[in-house]
Amino acid sequence: METESLLTGTVNGASGDYGSWSGSEHRGAPDNRRMSYSVARELCSVERDSDEEDLYIQQAVVFIEDAIQYRSIYHRVDARSLRLYRWYYSRICQWGLGLTIAVVLLLAFVERPSSLSVSSDPRIRSPSIEPPCGFTESIEMVCLIIFCLDLAVKSYLIGWEELRKNKWLIGYTVVISVSIIDWVLSVSMDCDERLRVRRLLRPFFLLQNSSLMKKTLKCIKRTLPEIASVILLLALHLCLFTMIGMLLFAKTEKMWTGSAYLHRSFVLDPKKNGEWELHFRTMPDSLMSLLVLLTTANNPDVMIPAYSLNRGYSIFFITFSVIGTYCLMNLLTAIIYNQFRGYLLMSVQTSINRRRLGIRAAFQVLSCQGAQQAAEERVHVDAVLKVMSRVKMKSYYRAAITTVARQYTEVSYMDREQFREIFDELDKDCIKEHPPLPQYRSHALQRLQVIFSHYYLTVLGNAVALANVVCICTVLVLNSEKSTAERDNYVLEIINLCFILYYLFEMCVKIFAFGWLGYLSYRNNIFDGFLTILLLALQITIFITYRLPNSQWDPSSHSVISLWEMIRLVNMLIVFRFLRIIPDIKLMALVASTLLDLVKNLRAFAGILVVVYYVFAVFGIWLFEGAIKPPAGMSVLSNTSMENITTNFSMECGTYEQLGYWPNNFDDFAAAIILLYDVMIVNNWQAFVDAYSRYTTEWSKIYFVCWWLTSSVMWVNLFVALILENFIYKWDRSHSCSVTDVERIRYETSVQLMFREQVQEPTEEELVCQLHQHPHLHLQW
């Protein structure tokens, strides 16, 4: 019953996960899997009232919707429960639940410490807008009430027996209860408490509402033991080179003898102890220096003091990087991807099995209209068409399935295999058909239509768009040293006008050639036409406002928006319009399509990353809020620009203070998110680790290392691997397609389809066993 649309690209944005498929897990089990009954001669009866024809149809509709959206069918199937079930999974209800989850997560930006300030820099930050006590608490209580209703509906629909088996719903109950208790404590303390446990629990609401997020989390959990050996090898590699480094770069002294008293004295040699002083002074410093080198963030800084003395020392650092960064880290990426892909394949197998089970259940309830019909195992075509007219699904899938079903109208019935085959249309591509070209009687108009509908017109338009971008780049290069007041904006404006007139001409002739509907049936035409109309409107506004070409008038002093600002907006739109070339280049079109599919279909993986960010940000605020404060000697003059910030203390080069990283802190939730992102990128992340270890404690390094392992090592590598999987899948499917075919085919890419060739179809015996175990659909075999 949990939402699965974040990754699967389902029909109306909802799917579920109550109960789990166990057919593949129990294959060969001696107790109840290999049953020797004859399916063809089975008798079935469904407990029902006097008027059951509509109940059959309603049950079949819900089972097919479950199959389309990869939901479990283990829920109540009486008429009232089915109406509640369909209402719960309606678009408005699921969108409302998703909006509630978004609101409760976004409260972290408004709650104390509030992120409602222009800057996060403690040197120039104005006081944040703090909502009054009870404002965010009231919103949160409304959200908790909605979650309670959501839990009540889910619990009712699956029944008490299934509820006790579902760990996620039990956890849902515990999280809501703890949140309410913590909310009461917060209100009783006048919202003045610093530690809010419920903030740490809020990401659970996002997790429990997505089936594939939970599967992803389970896959990550199962993958961790598999990569433990590589992590251990990486730690051994790090410790080994740490000890070697401490032996190589030990503290040295220079001995000299005093002439007056003839006694020996020792002084430090700063030049020879540079490496020890900066990177290998203690064991923790050595480990951290080499760990940062593993991410290449401090290369070559870490080896410069030693390398300046002897070029042979570079062998130590190069050997460490080659083994650790290029071998072990990449091996770790490969193992993570391979193991995770295997567990993800198991999850996809479960989803495919759910679809087959839902289709089989729909056939079963439609065929249960009497012992004779059940024995023959067939359903009436009119009943199938009636069911399909009620199912909530995409229109082109409904049309395809209905068309195939009507082929059996002459025989009036279809058997189980035929019923299953009509739903194979769900796994096929939808070919987008463009409207026919308008018919013109005039021979001249027909010739013009042929010319203006030719592909070369699009090529010419792309060349003109390229020329426009080149002109803008040329003008920008020539005027790069001039201020906005010194630039000749009128010349650039006239150049843009000429190109915009051509764009308008191109749009008009394409509308003439293809017709309004035909023109709008191409997504690139919609993009192109919208920007052309917007550019034309801006151009007319410029002429009305500034009455060009009166170049003697300085419009900047007579208008709220200067001519340069309007021309800059026009140039930005023209550069953005140049993206129209993407659909006309096959490889580029595939890359762009892959990116769009990632946004639509891999949101579950991004959702897990949001959860991890949220949890680490909350922990970071608890641990480090207000830890780093500007020194007392730092002052800000009346003008708050960065040039007017003065300091009265010295700063070591490359440190947090010298680099001006003051806005990166844990003083509020938004600033914490940005700091975690900076650390995930691992560029100069050692500056943050060093600063917080100096301002707080050395143990703070554990927090940053854990975040680096979670985000940069684990999650980024997984995300990159899935991008590759998505692109390879689309490349293989479109390898024989032309550019036009790529435009016409609507790829419904999902994780289920990406792994479709690797999954196994469940057997009929397994499907019947699962139907027999349905807790609410009482079948007698």
Side-chain angles (χ1 to χ4, degrees):
M1 300 258 314
E2 293 85 347
T3 303
E4 193 175 6
S5 63
L6 294 178
L7 185 58
T8 58
T10 53
V11 176
N12 63 357
S15 61
D17 190 35
Y18 285 135
S20 60
W21 171 266
S22 56
S24 60
E25 297 174 359
H26 294 279
R27 289 183 183 179
D31 53 349
N32 59 356
R33 282 297 175 263
R34 296 297 178 187
M35 302 177 68
S36 59
Y37 53 78
S38 174
V39 178
R41 296 180 181 179
E42 64 191 13
L43 297 178
C44 78
S45 62
V46 182
E47 294 183 0
R48 56 190 182 272
D49 300 328
S50 57
D51 186 13
E52 300 304 329
E53 185 67 25
D54 188 65
L55 179 60
Y56 285 134
I57 300 298
Q58 195 173 359
Q59 288 174 343
V61 167
V62 171
F63 287 149
I64 291 176
E65 290 177 349
D66 290 340
I68 293 172
Q69 301 175 20
Y70 303 104
R71 290 198 300 251
S72 172
I73 66 171
Y74 294 124
H75 52 77
R76 298 180 186 271
V77 292
D78 58 278
R80 185 178 65 176
S81 298
L82 290 177
R83 286 193 295 269
L84 177 62
Y85 184 84
R86 298 193 74 194
W87 170 83
Y88 177 79
Y89 282 113
S90 63
R91 186 184 298 271
I92 185 172
C93 186
Q94 289 301 307
W95 272 90
L97 183 58
L99 179 62
T100 304
I101 295 173
V103 168
V104 79
L105 290 177
L106 291 175
L107 286 177
F109 292 95
V110 184
E111 294 173 331
R112 301 176 185 177
S114 173
S115 302
L116 301 179
S117 61
V118 177
S119 174
S120 61
D121 193 331
R123 299 169 298 176
I124 61 175
R125 179 175 53 200
S126 59
S128 302
I129 301 175
E130 297 286 351
C133 179
F135 177 76
T136 58
E137 285 74 16
S138 300
I139 297 175
E140 186 175 12
M141 178 49 65
V142 173
C143 295
L144 290 175
I145 292 174
I146 294 176
F147 292 144
C148 289
L149 293 176
D150 176 56
L151 176 62
V153 172
K154 288 179 177 179
S155 302
Y156 169 76
L157 289 175
I158 67 171
W160 173 249
E161 292 298 327
E162 291 295 320
L163 175 62
R164 292 191 302 173
K165 302 175 185 178
N166 195 303
K167 297 179 181 178
W168 281 96
L169 284 184
I170 296 175
Y172 196 15
T173 305
V174 173
V175 169
I176 292 176
S177 302
V178 173
S179 298
I180 293 177
I181 294 173
D182 190 61
W183 182 91
V184 173
L185 293 175
S186 178
V187 174
S188 63
M189 298 172 65
D190 294 331
C191 313
D192 198 29
E193 84 289 2
R194 185 174 182 272
L195 190 66
R196 298 188 179 187
V197 178
R198 64 184 185 277
R199 295 185 71 182
L200 195 62
L201 301 178
R202 287 172 185 168
F204 184 87
F205 299 129
L206 179 62
L207 283 177
Q208 68 84 30
N209 199 52
S210 170
S211 176
L212 275 173
M213 276 193 193
K214 292 184 290 187
K215 290 177 182 178
T216 304
L217 197 63
K218 186 177 181 180
C219 290
I220 294 175
K221 178 183 175 182
R222 292 184 176 182
T223 304
L224 290 177
E226 303 294 335
I227 64 174
S229 58
V230 180
I231 294 290
L232 183 60
L233 185 59
L234 192 62
L236 181 62
H237 166 74
L238 193 62
C239 293
L240 176 64
F241 273 83
T242 296
M243 290 184 288
I244 295 176
M246 294 187 70
L247 292 174
L248 283 176
F249 310 115
K251 179 180 178 181
T252 60
E253 295 173 325
K254 181 179 180 181
M255 184 179 69
W256 62 282
T257 304
S259 59
Y261 300 100
L262 299 178
H263 65 274
R264 294 182 176 181
S265 300
F266 297 90
V267 295
L268 293 178
D269 188 346
K271 186 176 180 181
K272 292 186 178 181
N273 286 283
E275 193 71 39
W276 170 82
E277 182 73 25
L278 295 175
H279 305 293
F280 290 91
R281 192 182 187 95
T282 63
M283 179 68 75
D285 290 340
S286 304
L287 278 171
M288 199 64 209
S289 296
L290 291 182
L291 178 62
V292 175
L293 179 60
L294 202 63
T295 66
T296 70
N298 61 351
N299 185 67
D301 299 348
V302 68
M303 77 172 184
I304 289 300
Y307 182 61
S308 62
L309 293 177
N310 190 330
R311 68 179 73 230
Y313 284 127
S314 63
I315 299 175
F316 169 81
F317 297 99
I318 293 175
T319 304
F320 174 82
S321 296
V322 169
I323 297 176
T325 304
Y326 298 108
C327 294
L328 293 180
M329 291 297 290
N330 288 328
L331 180 63
L332 181 63
T333 301
I335 291 178
I336 291 174
Y337 171 55
N338 184 64
Q339 296 297 328
F340 186 83
R341 189 178 188 273
Y343 289 119
L344 187 62
L345 180 60
M346 293 172 56
S347 298
V348 172
Q349 178 74 62
T350 301
S351 298
I352 297 299
N353 291 341
R354 283 205 192 104
R355 172 169 285 186
R356 298 294 176 255
L357 181 61
I359 294 172
R360 183 64 178 84
F363 177 84
Q364 192 66 40
V365 296
L366 288 176
S367 64
C368 287
Q369 301 182 16
Q372 182 177 358
Q373 290 182 2
E376 296 175 359
E377 274 202 310
R378 61 181 186 177
V379 296
H380 203 283
V381 175
D382 292 339
V384 175
L385 295 176
K386 187 175 181 181
V387 167
M388 293 308 303
S389 65
R390 297 187 183 183
V391 172
K392 295 178 181 178
M393 61 190 307
K394 293 183 177 179
S395 58
Y396 49 83
Y397 283 139
R398 187 200 312 275
I401 294 174
T402 302
T403 301
V404 177
R406 283 176 177 159
Q407 296 176 0
Y408 301 97
T409 304
E410 295 183 0
V411 295
S412 299
Y413 292 95
M414 62 177 64
D415 57 25
R416 184 181 68 247
E417 189 63 25
Q418 292 169 340
F419 184 81
R420 185 194 63 81
E421 288 177 354
I422 67 174
F423 290 97
D424 290 342
E425 300 294 326
L426 296 173
D427 297 331
K428 297 181 180 179
D429 291 324
C430 174
I431 305 299
K432 182 180 180 181
E433 298 294 341
H434 298 292
L437 299 178
Q439 301 295 325
Y440 296 104
R441 296 182 179 180
S442 172
H443 181 70
L445 293 180
Q446 292 177 359
R447 292 297 300 271
L448 290 175
Q449 185 182 29
V450 172
I451 295 174
F452 293 143
S453 62
H454 201 278
Y455 176 70
Y456 285 152
L457 180 66
T458 302
V459 176
L460 177 61
N462 292 337
V464 173
L466 177 61
N468 194 355
V469 173
V470 170
C471 289
I472 293 175
C473 291
T474 303
V475 173
L476 291 177
V477 171
L478 294 176
N479 295 335
S480 60
E481 297 295 331
K482 298 180 181 179
S483 66
T484 57
E486 297 173 341
R487 298 186 181 187
D488 190 358
N489 298 322
Y490 299 95
V491 175
L492 184 58
E493 170 60 22
I494 296 302
I495 293 175
N496 287 340
L497 174 62
C498 297
F499 284 105
I500 291 173
L501 290 178
Y502 174 80
Y503 299 152
L504 181 63
F505 167 77
E506 182 185 14
M507 183 182 71
C508 292
V509 297
K510 282 188 175 182
I511 293 175
F512 162 78
F514 295 101
W516 275 105
L517 295 178
Y519 180 83
L520 296 176
S521 65
Y522 293 88
R523 288 170 292 181
N524 56 328
N525 283 344
I526 297 176
F527 172 79
D528 193 27
F530 172 75
L531 289 182
T532 300
I533 294 174
L534 190 58
L535 287 170
L536 182 63
L538 284 173
Q539 198 68 36
I540 294 174
T541 304
I542 291 175
F543 272 96
I544 294 176
T545 306
Y546 303 114
R547 298 178 180 84
L548 294 178
N550 184 10
S551 60
Q552 301 300 321
W553 179 40
D554 181 15
S556 61
S557 60
H558 296 274
S559 177
V560 177
I561 301 179
S562 67
L563 178 61
W564 160 248
E565 290 174 337
M566 298 197 70
I567 292 179
R568 180 168 56 182
L569 178 59
V570 169
N571 291 337
M572 289 180 181
L573 292 176
I574 290 174
V575 173
F576 188 63
R577 185 182 179 275
F578 186 64
L579 296 177
R580 56 170 279 167
I581 69 170
I582 291 178
D584 299 317
I585 303 176
K586 180 180 178 180
L587 183 59
M588 192 179 296
L590 284 176
V591 172
S593 179
T594 302
L595 292 176
L596 292 176
D597 278 338
L598 287 174
V599 175
K600 294 186 296 184
N601 301 317
L602 297 183
R603 286 176 291 177
F605 298 92
I608 297 290
L609 188 59
V610 168
V611 170
V612 175
Y613 261 97
Y614 203 99
V615 171
F616 270 86
V618 172
F619 269 120
I621 293 174
W622 287 355
L623 296 173
F624 307 118
E625 181 188 356
I628 297 182
K629 298 182 182 297
M634 180 171 291
S635 61
V636 183
L637 300 181
S638 58
N639 189 344
T640 57
S641 63
M642 294 305 296
E643 290 79 4
N644 291 327
I645 297 178
T646 60
T647 60
N648 295 322
F649 67 100
S650 60
M651 298 174 291
E652 184 180 346
C653 183
T655 59
Y656 179 94
E657 296 85 356
Q658 187 271 330
L659 294 171
Y661 285 171
W662 300 103
N664 295 280
N665 52 61
F666 287 101
D667 292 348
D668 59 70
F669 190 79
I673 294 293
I674 299 300
L675 191 149
L676 290 175
Y677 172 78
D678 293 336
V679 174
M680 185 181 73
I681 300 301
V682 301
N683 185 28
N684 258 6
W685 71 294
Q686 70 274 13
F688 301 108
V689 178
D690 172 69
Y692 278 94
S693 64
R694 285 188 286 107
Y695 281 93
T696 57
T697 173
E698 288 289 332
W699 293 102
S700 62
K701 294 179 180 178
I702 298 177
Y703 171 86
F704 290 97
V705 172
C706 290
W707 170 246
W708 168 73
L709 285 172
T710 304
S711 61
S712 185
V713 175
M714 285 287 297
W715 196 249
V716 172
N717 288 331
L718 281 175
F719 202 69
V720 169
L722 289 169
I723 290 176
L724 293 174
E725 192 73 34
N726 195 313
F727 178 77
I728 292 172
Y729 166 77
K730 298 197 71 171
W731 175 260
D732 291 341
R733 296 181 68 196
S734 61
H735 188 66
S736 59
C737 296
S738 64
V739 174
T740 306
D741 294 332
V742 173
E743 162 72 19
R744 294 174 62 211
I745 295 178
R746 295 178 182 175
Y747 291 106
E748 295 299 324
T749 307
S750 65
V751 173
Q752 283 79 11
L753 293 180
M754 282 195 290
F755 295 94
R756 185 66 183 87
E757 296 180 357
Q758 285 80 24
V759 299
Q760 297 179 353
E761 290 288 338
T763 64
E764 172 63 17
E765 194 174 45
E766 290 169 345
L767 294 176
V768 172
C769 288
Q770 291 297 311
L771 284 178
H772 185 68
Q773 295 175 3
H774 197 292
H776 305 288
L777 186 65
H778 304 293
L779 300 176
Q780 298 177 359
W781 308 90

